[in-house]
Amino acid sequence: MRTLYLDCGMGAAGDMLTAALLELLPQPEAFVERLNGLGIPGVTYHREKAEKCGITGTHITVTVDGHTEGEHDHDHDHEHHHHHSGMEEISHLIGHLPVSDRVRADIRAVYDAIAQAESRVHGVPVTDIHFHEVGAMDAVADVTAVCLLMEELAADQVIASPVHVGSGTVHCAHGVLPVPAPATALLLQGAPVYGGTIQGELCTPTGAALLRHFVTRFGEMPVMTTEAIGYGMGTKEFDAANCLRAFWGQSSGQ
């Protein structure tokens, strides 16, 4: 069966997932053009080669009206000057994207999961959630890209390693929060996670929501014949290579 294995040893973020999955495609540049043709307001995707600890891979930058939202790799690091979008606005935008019904349903499900998590963490109704961290257009861009890439790859199963969430604290709109941020922790409830010594937020709410939606099971890499390997690079520099690896190939299935 067609198997996608995600190595989340340095966590997961929307842009890292996008970049890793793009590297599995025979014509990644054509796919980026397709993403740029979706008409997400003000959004442009840029694909570039990047290097971490001597390993080369792909880095995806999303600009909104020509600006990047701070360190795009980690939702909670954003400067909060941007417009805050409510669930209704996001829903309207998703409803008008030129994508298949399947992809539209996937995007909605991922966004709904993030909204529910933020709602529970902050103790306000979902309708009152205004996405500081994830509602900016760049996060819409990340979720949409990953959902489209998953449709394109059409894996029979998606397996992910236990998720490295990082440690320490993170600054966000609400103040200084522990890592993993409360919404991330909630989204990863029931999945195997670990902290380690790296200071910083390695898994973002967007990354967590995408993993929960698409991953069939978490665990070790199965016996598989690998046909392609993708390296999705993060923005931050750590002692360890800040990348998410995607292995694509065939496995006999359990």
Side-chain angles (χ1 to χ4, degrees), residues 154-237:
D156 296 313
Q157 62 174 353
V158 181
I159 303 169
S161 71
V163 184
H164 189 175
V165 293
S167 64
T169 56
V170 61
H171 294 265
C172 78
H174 306 282
V176 179
L177 298 177
V179 170
T184 304
L186 196 57
L187 285 160
L188 290 176
Q189 203 169 296
V193 300
Y194 61 99
T197 57
I198 293 174
Q199 293 278 315
E201 181 186 39
L202 297 184
C203 187
T204 66
T206 306
L210 285 163
L211 290 176
R212 284 320 293 260
H213 184 68
F214 286 108
V215 173
T216 320
R217 65 181 172 88
F218 290 88
E220 294 173 356
M221 180 188 274
V223 176
M224 62 186 286
T225 308
T226 308
E227 293 162 17
I229 305 167
Y231 285 80
M233 301 309 195
T235 318
K236 290 185 171 179
E237 296 295 338

Coordinates of all heavy atoms in Angstrom, one line a residue, residues 154-237:
A154 N -2.4 11.1 -2.3 CA -3.4 10.0 -2.1 C -2.8 8.7 -1.5 O -2.9 7.6 -2.0 CB -4.1 9.6 -3.4
A155 N -2.2 8.9 -0.3 CA -1.6 7.8 0.4 C -2.7 6.8 1.0 O -3.8 7.3 1.3 CB -0.8 8.3 1.6
D156 N -2.4 5.5 1.0 CA -3.4 4.6 1.6 C -3.3 4.7 3.2 O -4.3 4.4 3.8 CB -3.1 3.2 1.2 CG -3.2 3.0 -0.3 OD1 -4.3 3.5 -0.8 OD2 -2.3 2.4 -1.0
Q157 N -2.1 5.0 3.7 CA -2.0 5.2 5.1 C -0.9 6.3 5.4 O 0.0 6.4 4.6 CB -1.6 3.9 5.8 CG -0.3 3.3 5.4 CD 0.0 2.1 6.3 OE1 -0.6 1.8 7.2 NE2 1.1 1.4 5.9
V158 N -1.1 7.1 6.5 CA -0.2 8.1 6.9 C 0.2 7.7 8.3 O -0.6 7.7 9.2 CB -0.8 9.5 6.8 CG1 0.2 10.5 7.3 CG2 -1.3 9.8 5.4
I159 N 1.5 7.5 8.5 CA 2.0 7.1 9.8 C 3.0 8.2 10.3 O 3.7 8.8 9.4 CB 2.7 5.8 9.8 CG1 1.7 4.7 9.3 CG2 3.2 5.4 11.2 CD1 2.4 3.3 9.0
A160 N 2.9 8.6 11.5 CA 3.8 9.6 12.0 C 4.6 9.1 13.3 O 4.0 8.3 14.0 CB 3.1 10.9 12.3
S161 N 5.8 9.6 13.4 CA 6.5 9.3 14.6 C 5.9 10.0 15.8 O 5.1 10.9 15.7 CB 8.0 9.8 14.4 OG 8.0 11.2 14.5
P162 N 6.3 9.6 17.1 CA 5.9 10.4 18.2 C 6.4 11.9 17.9 O 7.4 12.1 17.3 CB 6.7 9.8 19.4 CG 6.8 8.4 19.0 CD 7.1 8.4 17.5
V163 N 5.7 12.8 18.5 CA 5.9 14.2 18.1 C 6.7 15.0 19.2 O 6.4 15.0 20.4 CB 4.6 15.0 17.9 CG1 4.8 16.4 17.5 CG2 3.7 14.3 16.9
H164 N 7.9 15.5 18.8 CA 8.7 16.3 19.6 C 8.1 17.7 19.7 O 8.0 18.4 18.7 CB 10.1 16.4 19.0 CG 11.2 17.0 19.9 ND1 12.5 17.0 19.6 CD2 11.1 17.6 21.1 CE1 13.2 17.6 20.6 NE2 12.3 18.0 21.5
V165 N 7.7 18.1 20.9 CA 7.0 19.4 21.1 C 7.9 20.5 21.5 O 7.5 21.7 21.4 CB 5.8 19.2 22.0 CG1 4.7 18.3 21.4 CG2 6.2 18.8 23.4
G166 N 9.1 20.2 22.0 CA 10.0 21.3 22.4 C 9.8 21.5 23.9 O 9.1 20.7 24.6
S167 N 10.3 22.6 24.5 CA 10.2 22.8 25.9 C 10.4 24.3 26.2 O 10.6 25.1 25.2 CB 11.3 22.1 26.7 OG 12.6 22.5 26.3
G168 N 10.2 24.7 27.4 CA 10.3 26.2 27.7 C 9.0 26.9 27.6 O 8.0 26.4 28.0
T169 N 9.1 28.1 27.2 CA 7.9 29.0 27.1 C 7.8 29.6 25.7 O 8.8 29.6 25.0 CB 7.9 30.1 28.1 OG1 9.1 30.9 28.0 CG2 7.8 29.6 29.5
V170 N 6.6 30.2 25.4 CA 6.4 30.8 24.1 C 5.6 32.1 24.3 O 4.7 32.1 25.2 CB 5.7 29.9 23.1 CG1 4.4 29.4 23.6 CG2 5.6 30.5 21.7
H171 N 6.0 33.1 23.6 CA 5.2 34.4 23.7 C 4.1 34.4 22.7 O 4.3 34.1 21.5 CB 6.1 35.6 23.4 CG 7.2 35.8 24.5 ND1 7.0 36.6 25.5 CD2 8.4 35.2 24.6 CE1 8.1 36.5 26.3 NE2 8.9 35.7 25.8
C172 N 2.9 34.7 23.1 CA 1.8 34.8 22.2 C 0.9 36.0 22.6 O 1.2 36.7 23.6 CB 1.0 33.5 22.1 SG -0.1 33.3 23.5
A173 N -0.2 36.1 21.9 CA -1.1 37.3 22.2 C -1.6 37.3 23.6 O -1.9 38.4 24.1 CB -2.3 37.2 21.2
H174 N -1.7 36.2 24.3 CA -2.3 36.1 25.6 C -1.2 36.3 26.7 O -1.5 36.3 27.9 CB -3.0 34.8 25.8 CG -4.0 34.6 24.8 ND1 -5.3 35.2 24.8 CD2 -4.0 33.8 23.7 CE1 -6.0 34.9 23.7 NE2 -5.2 34.0 23.0
G175 N 0.1 36.4 26.3 CA 1.2 36.5 27.3 C 2.2 35.3 27.1 O 2.3 34.8 26.0
V176 N 2.9 35.0 28.1 CA 3.9 33.9 28.0 C 3.2 32.6 28.4 O 2.7 32.5 29.5 CB 5.1 34.2 28.9 CG1 6.1 33.1 28.8 CG2 5.7 35.5 28.5
L177 N 3.3 31.6 27.5 CA 2.6 30.3 27.8 C 3.7 29.2 27.8 O 4.7 29.3 27.2 CB 1.6 30.0 26.7 CG 0.4 31.0 26.5 CD1 -0.5 30.5 25.4 CD2 -0.4 31.0 27.8
P178 N 3.4 28.1 28.5 CA 4.3 27.0 28.5 C 4.3 26.2 27.2 O 3.2 26.3 26.5 CB 3.8 26.1 29.6 CG 2.3 26.4 29.7 CD 2.2 27.8 29.3
V179 N 5.4 25.6 26.8 CA 5.4 24.7 25.6 C 5.2 23.3 26.1 O 5.8 22.8 27.1 CB 6.8 24.9 24.9 CG1 7.0 23.8 23.9 CG2 7.0 26.3 24.4
P180 N 4.4 22.5 25.4 CA 3.6 22.9 24.2 C 2.5 23.9 24.6 O 1.9 23.8 25.8 CB 3.0 21.6 23.7 CG 2.9 20.7 24.9 CD 4.1 21.1 25.7
A181 N 2.1 24.8 23.8 CA 1.1 25.8 24.0 C -0.2 25.0 24.3 O -0.4 23.9 23.8 CB 0.9 26.7 22.8
P182 N -1.1 25.5 25.2 CA -2.3 24.8 25.6 C -3.1 24.2 24.4 O -3.6 23.1 24.5 CB -3.1 25.8 26.4 CG -2.0 26.7 27.0 CD -0.9 26.8 25.9
A183 N -3.3 25.0 23.4 CA -4.1 24.5 22.2 C -3.4 23.3 21.6 O -4.0 22.3 21.2 CB -4.3 25.6 21.2
T184 N -2.1 23.4 21.4 CA -1.3 22.3 20.8 C -1.4 21.1 21.7 O -1.6 20.0 21.2 CB 0.2 22.7 20.7 OG1 0.3 23.9 19.9 CG2 1.0 21.7 20.0
A185 N -1.2 21.3 23.0 CA -1.3 20.1 23.9 C -2.7 19.4 23.8 O -2.8 18.2 23.8 CB -1.1 20.6 25.4
L186 N -3.7 20.2 23.7 CA -5.1 19.7 23.6 C -5.2 18.9 22.3 O -5.8 17.8 22.2 CB -6.1 20.8 23.7 CG -7.6 20.4 24.0 CD1 -7.7 19.6 25.3 CD2 -8.4 21.7 24.1
L187 N -4.8 19.5 21.2 CA -4.9 18.9 19.9 C -4.1 17.5 19.8 O -4.5 16.6 19.1 CB -4.4 19.8 18.8 CG -5.3 21.0 18.4 CD1 -4.6 22.1 17.8 CD2 -6.5 20.5 17.6
L188 N -3.0 17.4 20.6 CA -2.2 16.2 20.5 C -2.6 15.2 21.6 O -1.9 14.2 21.8 CB -0.7 16.6 20.6 CG -0.1 17.3 19.4 CD1 1.3 17.7 19.7 CD2 -0.2 16.4 18.2
Q189 N -3.6 15.5 22.3 CA -4.1 14.6 23.4 C -4.4 13.2 22.8 O -5.0 13.1 21.7 CB -5.4 15.2 24.0 CG -5.7 14.7 25.4 CD -6.8 15.4 26.1 OE1 -6.7 16.6 26.3 NE2 -7.9 14.8 26.3
G190 N -3.8 12.2 23.4 CA -4.0 10.8 22.8 C -2.9 10.4 21.9 O -2.9 9.2 21.5
A191 N -2.1 11.4 21.4 CA -1.0 11.0 20.5 C 0.3 11.0 21.4 O 0.4 11.7 22.4 CB -0.9 12.1 19.4
P192 N 1.3 10.2 21.0 CA 2.6 10.1 21.7 C 3.4 11.4 21.5 O 3.7 11.7 20.3 CB 3.3 8.9 21.2 CG 2.7 8.7 19.8 CD 1.3 9.2 19.8
V193 N 3.7 12.1 22.5 CA 4.5 13.3 22.4 C 5.7 13.3 23.4 O 5.6 12.5 24.4 CB 3.7 14.6 22.7 CG1 2.6 14.7 21.7 CG2 3.1 14.6 24.1
Y194 N 6.7 14.1 23.2 CA 7.8 14.2 24.2 C 8.4 15.6 24.2 O 8.3 16.3 23.2 CB 8.8 13.1 24.0 CG 9.5 13.1 22.7 CD1 10.8 13.7 22.5 CD2 9.0 12.6 21.5 CE1 11.5 13.7 21.3 CE2 9.6 12.6 20.3 CZ 10.9 13.1 20.2 OH 11.5 13.2 19.0
G195 N 9.1 15.9 25.2 CA 9.7 17.3 25.3 C 11.2 17.4 24.9 O 11.5 17.9 23.9
G196 N 12.1 16.8 25.8 CA 13.5 16.9 25.4 C 14.1 18.2 25.9 O 13.5 19.0 26.6
T197 N 15.3 18.5 25.4 CA 16.1 19.6 25.9 C 16.1 20.8 25.1 O 16.5 21.9 25.4 CB 17.6 19.2 26.1 OG1 18.1 18.7 24.8 CG2 17.8 18.1 27.1
I198 N 15.5 20.7 23.8 CA 15.5 21.9 22.9 C 14.5 22.9 23.4 O 13.3 22.6 23.7 CB 15.2 21.5 21.5 CG1 16.3 20.6 21.0 CG2 14.9 22.7 20.6 CD1 16.1 20.0 19.6
Q199 N 15.0 24.1 23.7 CA 14.1 25.2 24.1 C 13.4 25.9 23.0 O 14.0 26.4 22.1 CB 15.0 26.3 24.9 CG 15.6 25.8 26.2 CD 14.6 25.9 27.3 OE1 13.9 26.9 27.5 NE2 14.6 24.8 28.1
G200 N 12.1 25.9 23.0 CA 11.3 26.5 21.9 C 10.1 25.7 21.5 O 10.0 24.5 21.9
E201 N 9.2 26.3 20.8 CA 8.0 25.7 20.4 C 8.3 24.9 19.0 O 8.5 25.6 18.0 CB 6.9 26.7 20.2 CG 5.6 26.1 19.7 CD 4.6 27.2 19.4 OE1 4.9 28.2 18.8 OE2 3.4 27.0 19.7
L202 N 8.3 23.6 19.1 CA 8.6 22.8 17.9 C 7.3 22.4 17.1 O 7.3 22.4 15.9 CB 9.4 21.6 18.2 CG 10.8 21.8 18.8 CD1 11.5 20.5 19.0 CD2 11.6 22.8 18.0
C203 N 6.3 22.2 17.9 CA 5.0 21.9 17.2 C 4.0 23.0 17.5 O 3.7 23.4 18.6 CB 4.5 20.5 17.8 SG 3.0 20.0 16.8
T204 N 3.5 23.5 16.4 CA 2.5 24.6 16.5 C 1.1 24.1 16.5 O 0.8 22.9 16.1 CB 2.7 25.5 15.3 OG1 2.3 24.8 14.1 CG2 4.1 26.0 15.1
P205 N 0.1 24.9 16.8 CA -1.3 24.4 16.8 C -1.7 23.9 15.4 O -2.4 22.9 15.2 CB -2.1 25.6 17.2 CG -1.2 26.4 18.1 CD 0.2 26.2 17.5
T206 N -1.3 24.7 14.3 CA -1.6 24.3 13.0 C -1.0 22.9 12.6 O -1.6 22.1 12.1 CB -1.0 25.4 12.0 OG1 -1.5 26.6 12.4 CG2 -1.5 25.1 10.6
G207 N 0.3 22.7 13.0 CA 1.0 21.5 12.8 C 0.3 20.3 13.5 O 0.0 19.3 12.9
A208 N -0.1 20.6 14.7 CA -0.8 19.6 15.5 C -2.1 19.2 14.9 O -2.5 18.0 14.8 CB -1.0 20.1 17.0
A209 N -2.9 20.2 14.5 CA -4.2 19.9 13.9 C -4.1 19.1 12.6 O -4.9 18.2 12.3 CB -5.0 21.2 13.7
L210 N -3.1 19.4 11.8 CA -2.9 18.7 10.5 C -2.5 17.3 10.8 O -3.0 16.4 10.1 CB -1.9 19.4 9.7 CG -2.3 20.7 9.0 CD1 -1.1 21.6 8.6 CD2 -3.3 20.5 7.8
L211 N -1.7 17.1 11.8 CA -1.3 15.7 12.1 C -2.5 14.9 12.6 O -2.7 13.8 12.1 CB -0.2 15.7 13.2 CG 1.2 16.2 12.8 CD1 2.1 16.2 14.0 CD2 1.8 15.3 11.7
R212 N -3.3 15.5 13.5 CA -4.4 14.7 14.0 C -5.4 14.4 12.9 O -6.1 13.4 13.0 CB -5.1 15.6 15.1 CG -4.4 15.6 16.5 CD -3.8 14.2 16.9 NE -4.8 13.2 17.1 CZ -5.2 12.8 18.3 NH1 -4.7 13.4 19.4 NH2 -6.0 11.8 18.5
H213 N -5.6 15.3 12.0 CA -6.5 15.0 10.9 C -6.1 13.9 9.9 O -6.9 13.1 9.5 CB -6.8 16.3 10.1 CG -7.9 16.1 9.1 ND1 -9.2 15.9 9.4 CD2 -7.9 16.1 7.8 CE1 -9.9 15.8 8.3 NE2 -9.1 15.9 7.3
F214 N -4.8 14.0 9.6 CA -4.4 13.1 8.5 C -3.7 11.8 8.9 O -3.6 10.8 8.2 CB -3.4 13.8 7.5 CG -4.2 14.8 6.6 CD1 -4.0 16.2 6.8 CD2 -5.0 14.3 5.6 CE1 -4.7 17.1 6.0 CE2 -5.7 15.2 4.8 CZ -5.5 16.6 5.0
V215 N -3.1 11.8 10.1 CA -2.3 10.6 10.5 C -3.2 9.4 10.9 O -4.1 9.6 11.7 CB -1.4 11.0 11.7 CG1 -0.7 9.7 12.2 CG2 -0.3 12.0 11.2
T216 N -3.0 8.3 10.3 CA -3.7 7.1 10.5 C -3.3 6.5 11.9 O -4.2 6.0 12.6 CB -3.4 6.0 9.4 OG1 -3.3 6.6 8.1 CG2 -4.5 4.9 9.4
R217 N -2.0 6.5 12.1 CA -1.5 6.0 13.4 C -0.2 6.6 13.7 O 0.5 7.0 12.8 CB -1.5 4.5 13.5 CG -0.5 3.8 12.6 CD -0.6 2.3 12.8 NE 0.2 1.6 11.7 CZ 1.4 1.3 11.9 NH1 2.1 1.6 13.0 NH2 2.1 0.7 10.9
F218 N 0.2 6.7 15.0 CA 1.5 7.2 15.4 C 2.4 6.0 15.8 O 1.8 5.0 16.5 CB 1.4 8.1 16.6 CG 0.8 9.5 16.2 CD1 -0.6 9.6 16.3 CD2 1.6 10.5 15.8 CE1 -1.2 10.8 15.9 CE2 1.0 11.8 15.5 CZ -0.4 11.9 15.6
G219 N 3.6 6.0 15.5 CA 4.5 4.9 15.9 C 5.8 4.8 15.1 O 6.2 5.8 14.5
E220 N 6.5 3.7 15.1 CA 7.7 3.6 14.4 C 7.5 3.5 12.9 O 6.4 3.2 12.4 CB 8.4 2.3 14.9 CG 8.9 2.3 16.3 CD 9.4 1.0 16.8 OE1 9.3 0.0 16.0 OE2 9.8 0.9 17.9
M221 N 8.6 3.8 12.2 CA 8.5 3.6 10.7 C 8.2 2.2 10.4 O 8.9 1.3 10.9 CB 9.8 4.1 10.1 CG 9.8 4.0 8.5 SD 11.4 4.3 7.8 CE 11.3 6.0 7.7
P222 N 7.2 1.9 9.5 CA 6.9 0.5 9.1 C 8.0 0.0 8.2 O 8.8 0.8 7.7 CB 5.6 0.6 8.4 CG 5.6 2.0 7.8 CD 6.4 2.9 8.8
V223 N 8.0 -1.3 7.9 CA 8.9 -1.8 6.9 C 8.3 -1.3 5.6 O 7.1 -1.6 5.2 CB 8.8 -3.4 6.9 CG1 9.7 -3.9 5.7 CG2 9.4 -3.9 8.2
M224 N 9.1 -0.5 4.9 CA 8.6 0.1 3.6 C 9.7 0.3 2.6 O 10.9 0.4 3.0 CB 7.9 1.4 3.9 CG 8.7 2.5 4.5 SD 7.8 4.0 4.9 CE 7.5 4.7 3.3
T225 N 9.4 0.2 1.3 CA 10.3 0.5 0.3 C 10.2 1.9 -0.1 O 9.1 2.3 -0.6 CB 10.1 -0.4 -0.9 OG1 10.0 -1.8 -0.5 CG2 11.2 -0.3 -2.0
T226 N 11.2 2.7 0.2 CA 11.1 4.2 0.0 C 11.3 4.6 -1.4 O 12.3 4.1 -2.0 CB 12.1 4.9 1.0 OG1 11.9 4.4 2.3 CG2 11.8 6.4 0.9
E227 N 10.4 5.4 -2.0 CA 10.6 5.9 -3.3 C 11.0 7.3 -3.4 O 11.6 7.8 -4.4 CB 9.3 5.6 -4.1 CG 8.9 4.2 -4.3 CD 7.5 3.9 -4.6 OE1 6.8 4.9 -5.0 OE2 7.0 2.8 -4.5
A228 N 10.7 8.1 -2.4 CA 11.0 9.5 -2.3 C 11.1 10.0 -0.9 O 10.4 9.4 0.0 CB 10.0 10.4 -3.1
I229 N 12.0 10.9 -0.6 CA 12.1 11.5 0.7 C 12.1 13.0 0.6 O 12.8 13.6 -0.2 CB 13.4 11.1 1.4 CG1 13.5 9.5 1.5 CG2 13.5 11.6 2.9 CD1 14.9 9.0 1.8
G230 N 11.2 13.6 1.4 CA 11.1 15.1 1.4 C 11.6 15.7 2.7 O 11.3 15.2 3.8
Y231 N 12.4 16.8 2.6 CA 12.8 17.6 3.8 C 12.2 18.9 3.8 O 12.4 19.8 2.9 CB 14.4 17.7 3.7 CG 15.1 16.5 4.0 CD1 15.3 15.5 3.1 CD2 15.7 16.3 5.3 CE1 16.0 14.3 3.4 CE2 16.4 15.1 5.6 CZ 16.5 14.1 4.6 OH 17.2 13.0 4.9
G232 N 11.3 19.2 4.8 CA 10.7 20.5 5.0 C 11.4 21.2 6.1 O 11.4 20.8 7.3
M233 N 12.0 22.3 5.7 CA 12.9 23.1 6.7 C 12.1 24.1 7.5 O 11.2 24.8 6.9 CB 14.0 23.8 6.0 CG 14.9 22.8 5.2 SD 15.5 21.4 6.3 CE 16.8 20.8 5.3
G234 N 12.4 24.2 8.8 CA 11.8 25.2 9.6 C 12.6 26.5 9.5 O 13.6 26.6 8.8
T235 N 12.1 27.5 10.2 CA 12.8 28.8 10.1 C 13.9 28.9 11.2 O 15.0 29.5 10.9 CB 11.8 30.0 10.4 OG1 10.6 29.7 9.7 CG2 12.4 31.3 9.9
K236 N 13.7 28.4 12.4 CA 14.6 28.6 13.5 C 15.8 27.7 13.4 O 15.8 26.7 12.7 CB 13.9 28.3 14.8 CG 12.8 29.3 15.2 CD 12.3 29.0 16.5 CE 11.4 30.2 17.0 NZ 10.8 29.9 18.3
E237 N 16.9 28.2 14.0 CA 18.2 27.5 14.0 C 18.3 26.8 15.4 O 18.2 27.4 16.4 CB 19.4 28.4 13.8 CG 19.4 29.1 12.4 CD 19.5 28.1 11.3 OE1 20.1 27.0 11.5 OE2 19.1 28.4 10.1

